[in-house]
Amino acid sequence: IDWANAVFYFGQVAPLAPNLRDASGWTATQRYLIALLRYGDVLAQDGRWCKAAEQYQLALSLGGDPAAQPTQVYYDDKCSGVPPEGSVDTQQPVPETPTPTPEGTPYP
């Protein structure tokens, strides 16, 4: 499924005919909300955290399932670079250039 296209097309239909139903009984709005969440997941898989958070925020603002909120918060945190709550960052920052020794030669 091409979730980007689903978001595009349902994003056009849902505001104009929010209660339009397909043969399965799903409304255009319901399809749009699902597309937003799934597209957000695709973006997150690609490491595009900020765009993923935007999709989730939009879905939640349109009345999406509140159970999606923790995922939206996680994507927001990843976007801002904040480590998830309760995690411990044990990695030390790596210097960009070697530190010179007193003799002026870098060490490994």
Side-chain angles (χ1 to χ4, degrees), residues 33-85:
L33 292 172
I34 290 169
L36 286 167
L37 297 174
R38 296 297 74 75
Y39 183 46
D41 293 338
V42 168
L43 292 168
Q45 287 174 352
D46 289 342
R48 298 171 63 191
W49 304 109
C50 297
K51 293 288 186 184
E54 287 174 14
Q55 300 305 306
Y56 266 73
Q57 287 170 350
L58 183 55
L60 290 167
S61 73
L62 295 173
D65 185 358
Q69 178 128 19
T71 305
Q72 187 269 322
V73 169
Y74 177 79
Y75 291 166
D76 261 347
D77 288 347
K78 294 291 277 185
C79 173
S80 66
V82 175
E85 189 174 314

Side-chain angles (χ1 to χ4, degrees), residues 82-105:
V82 175
E85 189 174 314
S87 70
V88 177
D89 186 7
T90 58
Q91 291 183 337
Q92 296 296 320
V94 178
E96 292 184 24
T97 57
T99 306
T101 61
E103 294 83 31
T105 58

